[in-house]
Amino acid sequence: QRMHKSCAQDYICSEYSPYQAQLLFRTETPVCPSHFCWHCYDERYKNSSRFGTLVDCEKCFRSFHTQCVPAGSKV
């Protein structure tokens, strides 16, 4: 999946914003929402959201650890 730079900068969902993630991950560029676990990020486990193997959602720009996949989803 790809996003235009302007779309990534404007993409806000729940508490996520590319600039908030940029500060958290200590990078100089916006962080793609597919490169961390949304469940961990949303539950305030922001540091652990960056590590481990992630599963990409086919329907949105989100990724999850296998143990964090929402109920009813298939891996």
Side-chain angles (χ1 to χ4, degrees), residues 7-25 29-33 36 38 41 46:
C7 295
Q9 291 170 340
D10 294 337
Y11 185 75
I12 296 174
C13 182
S14 185
E15 291 183 6
Y16 171 80
S17 78
Y19 299 108
Q20 172 69 24
Q22 183 177 343
L23 292 173
L24 175 70
F25 299 139
T29 58
V31 177
C32 174
F36 57 88
W38 273 84
Y41 188 90
K46 297 192 183 337

Side-chain angles (χ1 to χ4, degrees), residues 30-69:
V31 177
C32 174
S34 295
H35 289 111
F36 57 88
C37 175
W38 273 84
H39 176 74
C40 290
Y41 188 90
D42 196 39
E43 291 293 320
R44 304 211 190 307
Y45 304 125
K46 297 192 183 337
N47 202 29
S48 65
S49 69
R50 302 182 296 165
F51 302 105
T53 304
L54 298 173
V55 177
D56 295 330
C57 179
E58 292 180 355
K59 300 188 186 273
C60 66
F61 289 113
R62 296 180 183 178
S63 294
F64 301 92
H65 294 117
T66 53
Q67 67 271 19
C68 297
V69 172

